[in-house]
Amino acid sequence: MPPMVKRSNVSLALVLAVVACDPKKKEGPAVSADPVTSGSSAKATPSASASSSAATATSATVPTRPPEITTPQACKLMEQKVWGKGVNALTGLTVHELPDGRSAIGFAFGNTPKVLVVDRMGKSTLYPVTIKPGTPMATPPKPAEGSREIMRVTPRAVNGQVVEAYVDYRDIYKDGRRHVGCGSTDHEWISFDGKTIVGKDHKAPVKADVALFKDGKRRELRDCRTIVDEHKAIDSWTVGSMLVATQGADGVTTYKSELVVTDADGKNEHAVHTLDLKAPEKGDVPIVGYEVPVAEHLESQYLLAVREGGRLLVGLFALSKNLKGSFKS
């Protein structure tokens, strides 16, 4: 049987290992409880008559060891295989069930997206994600230029040696540029490419560069994730954290973060939550956004959870991706 891996973004430490087990093994080790202790260790000092009565009672009720309790074992370990070291903890694991019942696990070795396919008997095969040459995904920054962060790998389909997946990533350049993209590897559904307002200290200036604005506004995608519905294979969407800057007549820039939701191919983008970012009395504006969104299909609605600063926001969405009510913290 395949390993019991819940669909999540749980981080791995150093290695990726697959464990196969035999569910026929039911018996487990015997577990016994500690013997019952008497109340003779109490600190109170009884009277002579009370002590005599207590001694008589204690000698009459000698504590006995309870019977052994047998606990069933879920399965017996049959095989374990380590696929390699250098698993990207930021990317984590994302599991998608294929139509034939196999489990496809998306992850990354370093900044190389991979998919591990595990059948019901525990047999596993490791595949590289197929990436179209010439796309932004296929051209990461050179070490002298910057670095890449792969945020999530979500398997989509496995056809022979061709493995399709959604890869969400962020390229950070030393000259202040950024490229953020989410969706298909050959066609990003939501993306940003250009110089960022935000500095290396994750702060934005109160008076930003006018040349970066268009009609007094600036929108930067800071973070995003692709959501795949386990119940509807064709229904995928994206959730992103957008930094919105507005320049006033006095030259002072105000900022807010928007949690945006889009359908596939970036259609029907709309903000579902907004956070005003207040500037301190002196200095720049600390940027707080929305991170690591996850969603689950619950009958006729979606539950979306996302981290915002030091709190967790949870909201219910209609299948049309429209927020029902408001987010709860």
Side-chain angles (χ1 to χ4, degrees):
M1 64 183 293
M4 301 299 291
V5 183
K6 187 177 180 181
R7 179 178 177 233
S8 66
N9 267 357
V10 178
S11 297
L12 287 181
L14 293 174
V15 301
L16 181 73
V18 172
V19 176
C21 56
D22 182 5
K24 296 178 182 179
K25 182 70 176 178
K26 295 298 182 182
E27 65 275 8
V31 178
S32 60
D34 292 334
V36 179
T37 56
S38 67
S40 59
S41 60
K43 294 182 179 180
T45 304
S47 61
S49 58
S51 298
S52 175
S53 300
T56 303
T58 302
S59 61
T61 57
V62 178
T64 59
R65 189 179 185 86
E68 291 186 341
I69 302 172
T70 301
T71 57
Q73 206 168 286
C75 60
K76 178 184 177 182
L77 178 64
M78 301 294 292
E79 182 183 357
Q80 177 175 304
K81 183 173 183 177
V82 177
W83 281 101
K85 298 180 180 180
V87 175
N88 192 319
L90 174 65
T91 310
L93 298 175
T94 303
V95 182
H96 181 68
E97 185 175 345
L98 300 175
D100 59 8
R102 292 180 298 168
S103 295
I105 307 171
F107 70 103
F109 277 136
N111 286 320
T112 303
K114 300 282 188 177
V115 170
L116 184 69
V117 179
V118 187
D119 65 19
R120 294 184 179 276
M121 299 304 295
K123 183 180 178 181
S124 53
T125 307
L126 183 64
Y127 298 94
V129 174
T130 303
I131 300 175
K132 185 178 180 180
T135 59
M137 181 68 215
T139 53
K142 297 178 181 178
E145 297 175 335
S147 60
R148 167 167 289 181
E149 298 176 351
I150 295 187
M151 300 179 289
R152 184 175 294 172
V153 177
T154 306
R156 179 181 181 183
V158 178
N159 299 311
Q161 297 297 315
V162 178
V163 177
E164 300 178 12
Y166 304 105
V167 180
D168 310 325
Y169 70 103
R170 180 168 48 211
D171 290 339
I172 302 175
Y173 293 86
K174 296 179 180 180
D175 61 2
R177 291 182 296 130
R178 277 199 175 202
H179 181 90
V180 183
C182 290
S184 175
T185 56
D186 58 355
H187 176 60
E188 297 169 353
W189 295 346
I190 182 171
S191 64
F192 168 80
D193 190 277
K195 188 174 181 179
T196 177
I197 293 178
V198 183
K200 295 181 180 179
D201 57 356
H202 300 289
K203 293 181 179 180
V206 176
K207 292 187 178 182
D209 185 358
V210 180
L212 297 177
F213 288 75
K214 183 178 180 180
D215 298 327
K217 281 195 174 184
R218 173 78 172 178
R219 293 171 62 83
E220 293 185 10
L221 181 67
R222 303 289 299 173
D223 195 294
C224 57
R225 297 291 191 280
T226 304
I227 304 296
V228 178
D229 191 341
E230 291 285 352
H231 299 269
K232 299 166 63 180
I234 61 173
D235 191 4
S236 303
W237 41 301
T238 56
V239 179
S241 179
M242 193 78 68
L243 177 65
V244 181
T246 304
Q247 200 159 47
D250 56 359
V252 176
T253 307
T254 58
Y255 297 91
K256 63 180 178 180
S257 288
E258 288 182 348
L259 180 64
V260 298
V261 173
T262 73
D263 289 332
D265 293 324
K267 298 177 180 177
N268 303 318
E269 179 183 320
H270 57 284
V272 295
H273 193 273
T274 302
L275 175 67
D276 291 324
L277 303 176
K278 299 185 181 299
E281 294 182 2
K282 294 182 180 180
D284 298 333
V285 183
I287 299 302
V288 179
Y290 304 90
E291 301 175 310
V292 201
V294 293
E296 193 68 35
H297 189 147
L298 303 176
E299 297 182 352
S300 60
Q301 61 188 352
Y302 288 109
L303 182 146
L304 175 67
V306 61
R307 186 174 66 199
E308 179 263 291
R311 63 176 179 163
L312 177 69
L313 296 179
V314 179
L316 293 175
F317 284 72
L319 296 182
S320 61
K321 316 302 184 308
N322 293 314
L323 180 64
K324 300 168 67 174
S326 59
F327 277 91
K328 306 298 181 184
S329 175

